[in-house]
Structure formats: structure tokens, C-alpha cells
Amino acid sequence: MLEPRTRSSIVDANMKKTPFDYKKLKTRPIPKHRLFHSAAVESEIIRISGLIKDSDIRRMFAQCLPNTLDTTVFYREDEKGNPDTFISTGDIPAMWLRDSTNQVWPYLQFVNKDEKLDKLFAGLINRQARNIITDLYANAFVDIKEKNPTQNKYWPKGSKWGRDTWERKFEIDSLASFLRLSVGYYKESKNLSYFNSTWTKAIKKIFEVIRIEQQTLTKDTAKEMYKFFGPDGKSHPAIRMRGYGYPSKQCGLVRNVFRPSDDESTFPYIIASNAMLSVNLREASKILNLIKQEKLSQEALKVVKEIEDGITKQGIVRHRELGEIYAYEVDGFGSSLVMDDPNVPSLLSLPYLGFCSIDNPVYVSSRKMILSSANPFYAKGKSSEGLTSPHTGVLSHFWPIATIMQALTSDDEREIIECLKTLKKTHTGTYFMHESVNVDDPKDFTRPWFGWANSLFGELILKIEKDFPQILTKVI
């Protein structure tokens, strides 16, 4: 049964006492309740750990990279041998489409070396496709195959949506994450066998959502567009326009009511989320062609053009000091919000997501805004600095995910090292990443068990080993 675990059960007690020296150890200390084992990932942990001189960075990598596999993966096969994978976020016993994709992303490069890992990805693609078909607008789900599945109070058992819906906040990046997972898996494996009728049905559902949410919000279109509601089925008064979010004017972009942080958006068109959607629709169109779904492929490319035109016309705004930058959110009427949020997709992550290069002039100017006081959600403190988020309710807590993303989107060795220094200072003896950390007091943090942040740190070290191996030879 999927049960929340305490940090002490995740980190074996002897891991706190035993120095992490992979020049001597042949294996790493393993959590007592390990859920999934990948020989390929374990081998890479041992290999790269032997290259890392800094003992803290070494231990952080060795614990963070496998954390999702160790503690959040629930894999099974049905009677026909079809794989099925449920991945919790960590301390929350539910699976987010966005988080689960990001949690396993660093393992993609090993699927051709490990059949078990390949099946894990196939099972997650299958699971996400079924979830999308069940509930087009949900962002997170429970595992109803568990004996006692956790139920969310907002969508009780018996609602007209799926029993497995945990949270029904519409975020277009959730659907884009399913596409990214599918595209990433095919690029690495070249295996089309899991892109079946269920997957195709999920793609059709995604197009259904896109066409609905591209419309101008009016009293007539509102009848079919998304709105957030409470347990009683009535519109939610805490959300702008009683559950609909702010008005929007059709411009090719796709509406959201919530951000990738699960917070309510200010304006309904989130530029980074739309950018992520366009990148992965373009790549998914190639898969659709290969499985003889030419009409869907052409539809994907049509939507890509509409979104990219919308970003160009609506999403690029003029900053009085920095010139042209990407807005975080727009409404299609001319209003825009200048900021960035640490959750991916973000403006900072656009090159990471494949939307633009790191030297794109608009991105360069946007990056200057994001990593400075020009961004209302950037904080400097006594011990650290970085992007904050309305999600944690305070402006004093930076998010390690954004600091990791800063390093992942940089070709400046000094900047990458500074990011590592920040992350090293703020693990506070756990050697794991956290959701947010007080910039004045690293012992004040949220979420001790956050699979996505741990995986992203592991991904950063894998990238550094390939592109900047000299950094690993330094004591940070």
C-alpha cells in the first residue's frame, strides 16, 4: 500500500554516519523500503560518484538521482503482461502528470540498457494516457488499484469524473508533460509498440481540450470551457470570475486557470506552458505520422503554428530597461505580467524545454529580469538567493528547482559552480533537495521528501559530467 514515509525511513540511519566514499564502496547505502531497482542507474551512480571530489555533492548526487526509483515508483503488470506505473510525488501520495514525467526524466538515457526501466516508462505512458482519457482537466491522480486508495476531499468518490482524480486544477503543462514523456521515450528507444489505440485516444482528447480552451471566454463559450468548482459542484468563489479565471481573447494560445505551481494564474495564457506544449506537439506529430495517424499529425502542426504565432504577437513585451522580454502571462487583450515562477515550465527553462537557444536575444533579456530584483519573485538573503513562489506563501523562500534550472540553462562554468554552492549550503544535513528554503536560514525549508527536485539535481550532475567534467574535480 502506498503510505507516506518519514524522512528517517527514507534515509537509513547509518547513511548519516558512514562517509560517502565511492573509491572504497562498491555499492551505495540503500533505503530499507526500496521500491524499484535499476542496475543501469546504480552502475552510473557508482561511476560518476567516483569522479566527484566534493564529498557533499557526491552524497547529494548518490541520494537524489535514485530517490524517485527508491521511494516513489509503484510498478505492476496486468494479467496480459501490460506494464503499469504509478509514481507518487514523495510526501504526497498522489501522482501529478507533470511531476511524474520530471521525476523519471533523468532515467530516459538508460532505457536501452535496462529492460526493467524500459517497462517502467511504458507503464507510465500507459497510466498517464488512461488518466487523461478519464479526466481531461485533472492534474493529479490516486492509485485506485491500491487496497485503500487515498481520496481527495474536493472530488469525492462517486463524482462524474474518475474515481482516481486527486486534484482537478487545469494546467496545460500537465498535458504537455504527457507529450514530453512520450516524445522523450520514443527518441531514446525508437520503440513504437506502446503508442497504441489508448495513446491515440489520449492525443485526441488533448486536441479536444486545446480547441475548447483556445476560445475567447464569453458567456456562451463558458458553457463548455473549464471552471474550478468546490465539493458541492458549485463554482468556486475564491477563483477569479467564480472559477473561470480572468477573461481572455482568442489569439492562438491555450488558456489555463492554474500555473505549474498549482496556484491560480493572474492572466490565463501562460507563455512557458504554451511554449512547452508547442515543442512537444511538433515532436509528437512525427510519432503520429509513423503510426499512420496523418490527420492528427497535421492537426498537431496546425496548433503549433497557432501557439507560436500567439507567443510572438502576445508573449513578447517591452521592458523599460531590458528591451524585449517574454511575459509570464498574458490575456490576449494586451495585458501582461512580468515575473517568473520556479516551477517548470518556466521562462527560465525555455532552452531546457527546447523552445529556444540560450543565446536567443529575447531569452537573454528575460533571463536578466528573472535572476534579478526586476523579478518580483526573486529574493536575496544572508545565506542564499533565488526564485521564490507565491505557492509557499512567503517571499523569503527560494526554490532549489529554479537554481538547478539556472545551472541547466547556463554555459558559464562560474555560474554553474555558484548554483552548486547554493544547493550545497541548503541541504541542511539531509543531502536531499527541498521544495523551498529560507534565504536567511537553510534549516527552514518545506517538503523534506520531494521526488521531482531530487531527480532534477541528479539530472544536473549527469549533464555536468558530460559538458563540464572539470567541475566535478573541484571542492565546491
Side-chain angles (χ1 to χ4, degrees):
M1 178 180 174
L2 197 167
E3 296 177 346
R5 298 185 178 84
T6 62
R7 188 170 67 207
S8 61
S9 68
I10 303 166
V11 185
D12 213 306
N14 64 9
M15 292 174 69
K16 297 179 180 179
K17 302 175 183 178
T18 306
F20 255 53
D21 186 352
Y22 280 107
K23 294 178 181 177
K24 297 179 181 178
L25 296 175
K26 299 299 182 183
T27 61
R28 66 182 176 91
I30 303 299
K32 292 178 180 178
H33 304 287
R34 181 163 71 168
L35 298 176
F36 191 94
H37 172 264
S38 167
V41 173
E42 293 297 328
S43 177
E44 192 72 350
I45 291 171
I46 301 301
R47 183 184 74 82
I48 293 182
S49 293
L51 303 175
I52 302 174
K53 187 172 183 179
D54 189 293
S55 59
D56 274 29
I57 299 297
R58 184 190 315 135
R59 180 167 173 176
M60 290 161 67
F61 168 71
Q63 289 187 188
C64 287
L65 179 63
N67 181 249
T68 284
L69 297 177
D70 286 347
T71 67
T72 70
V73 171
F74 293 79
Y75 176 83
R76 61 173 70 88
E77 295 179 9
D78 65 17
E79 61 279 359
K80 296 181 180 179
N82 297 314
D84 179 32
T85 307
F86 179 89
I87 299 179
S88 71
T89 66
D91 52 9
I92 302 174
M95 185 180 92
W96 267 251
L97 297 178
R98 172 186 56 253
D99 288 43
S100 60
T101 293
N102 289 317
Q103 284 172 253
V104 300
W105 192 259
Y107 313 137
L108 260 178
Q109 59 194 280
F110 306 114
V111 293
N112 294 323
K113 299 177 182 178
D114 189 332
E115 184 180 358
K116 285 177 59 180
L117 204 57
D118 182 84
K119 287 186 176 181
L120 181 153
F121 276 92
L124 185 57
I125 291 170
N126 289 341
R127 166 75 69 138
Q128 289 191 0
R130 293 198 307 273
N131 287 154
I132 289 169
I133 291 167
T134 299
D135 193 336
L136 283 167
Y137 286 110
N139 57 323
F141 301 84
V142 296
D143 189 4
I144 59 174
K145 292 185 179 180
E146 289 294 324
K147 292 181 180 179
N148 298 296
T150 306
Q151 294 294 328
N152 188 297
K153 63 181 180 180
Y154 292 113
W155 292 277
K157 185 176 180 180
S159 69
K160 64 179 180 179
W161 290 279
R163 287 193 301 127
D164 53 353
T165 295
W166 167 269
E167 189 170 69
R168 201 168 195 267
K169 292 180 175 178
F170 177 50
E171 304 156 358
I172 195 64
D173 67 277
S174 296
L175 302 180
S177 293
F178 165 69
L179 294 171
R180 184 177 186 238
L181 178 70
S182 301
V183 166
Y185 174 76
Y186 174 71
K187 280 187 173 181
E188 196 66 41
S189 70
K190 298 298 185 288
N191 180 7
L192 287 171
S193 61
Y194 298 112
F195 299 100
N196 51 28
S197 59
T198 301
W199 185 83
T200 302
K201 186 175 180 180
I203 296 295
K204 291 178 180 178
K205 289 287 186 180
I206 290 173
F207 285 133
E208 181 181 328
V209 169
I210 288 171
R211 289 313 186 190
I212 290 172
E213 299 303 328
Q214 280 182 317
Q215 299 178 100
T216 299
L217 179 63
T218 67
K219 62 181 179 62
D220 294 321
T221 61
K223 296 174 183 177
E224 60 178 341
M225 297 178 79
Y226 170 84
K227 73 173 180 178
F228 185 72
F229 53 85
D232 58 2
K234 295 180 180 179
S235 60
H236 202 290
I239 303 301
R240 295 179 181 90
M241 298 277 291
R242 290 199 168 268
Y244 284 107
Y246 267 8
S248 60
K249 184 178 181 181
Q250 189 171 21
C251 60
L253 300 174
V254 184
R255 280 180 58 89
N256 298 257
V257 175
F258 294 92
R259 295 173 177 168
S261 60
D262 299 336
D263 300 323
E264 183 189 1
S265 61
T266 299
F267 298 122
Y269 298 129
I270 301 174
I271 297 304
S273 298
N274 274 271
M276 180 184 182
L277 181 62
S278 71
V279 167
N280 290 287
L281 278 174
R282 187 187 302 278
E283 294 301 317
S285 71
K286 299 174 185 177
I287 297 176
L288 289 165
N289 266 329
L290 290 171
I291 61 173
K292 310 301 181 185
Q293 294 287 339
E294 290 85 359
K295 288 185 178 180
L296 286 178
S297 176
Q298 290 303 309
E299 176 71 5
L301 294 177
K302 183 179 179 183
V303 172
V304 167
K305 186 178 186 310
E306 292 169 355
I307 291 174
E308 291 183 349
D309 286 348
I311 292 175
T312 300
K313 294 174 182 177
Q314 301 289 332
I316 299 175
V317 299
R318 179 160 291 279
H319 191 279
R320 63 177 177 269
E321 296 173 357
L322 299 170
E324 288 190 334
I325 64 170
Y326 290 111
Y328 185 72
E329 294 169 350
V330 299
D331 64 358
F333 290 100
S335 300
S336 62
L337 180 63
V338 173
M339 61 163 282
D340 199 17
D341 193 86
N343 290 269
V344 181
S346 59
L347 297 178
L348 184 62
S349 69
L350 290 179
Y352 169 82
L353 296 171
F355 182 74
C356 66
S357 63
I358 60 173
D359 59 358
N360 175 284
V362 180
Y363 175 74
V364 171
S365 296
S366 301
R367 187 183 180 91
K368 290 178 182 178
M369 178 275 294
I370 293 163
L371 300 174
S372 74
S373 59
N375 177 5
F377 293 96
Y378 191 87
K380 289 186 179 182
K382 297 176 182 178
S383 65
S384 57
E385 63 181 88
L387 269 71
T388 67
S389 172
H391 188 68
T392 41
V394 289
L395 295 176
S396 60
H397 283 58
F398 89 100
W399 284 51
I401 279 180
T403 303
I404 298 168
M405 188 53 60
Q406 180 183 350
L408 283 168
T409 54
S410 176
D411 59 2
D412 184 334
E413 183 175 331
R414 290 174 297 178
E415 182 179 19
I416 295 170
I417 290 174
E418 286 303 311
C419 291
L420 288 174
K421 286 181 179 179
T422 297
L423 297 167
K424 176 181 173 179
K425 284 190 296 184
T426 53
H427 69 71
T428 61
T430 68
Y431 300 91
F432 286 112
M433 296 292 100
H434 307 301
E435 179 188 54
S436 69
V437 182
N438 192 314
V439 294
D440 291 321
D441 179 10
K443 293 181 180 179
D444 177 16
F445 61 80
T446 60
R447 298 191 70 180
W449 180 19
F450 188 22
W452 175 11
N454 289 325
S455 289
L456 197 64
F457 179 79
E459 183 178 350
L460 172 60
I461 299 302
L462 292 175
K463 185 177 187 295
I464 289 174
E465 192 272 332
K466 291 179 181 178
D467 298 343
F468 301 94
Q470 66 276 13
I471 291 178
L472 300 185
T473 65
K474 305 176 187 293
V475 175
I476 303 301

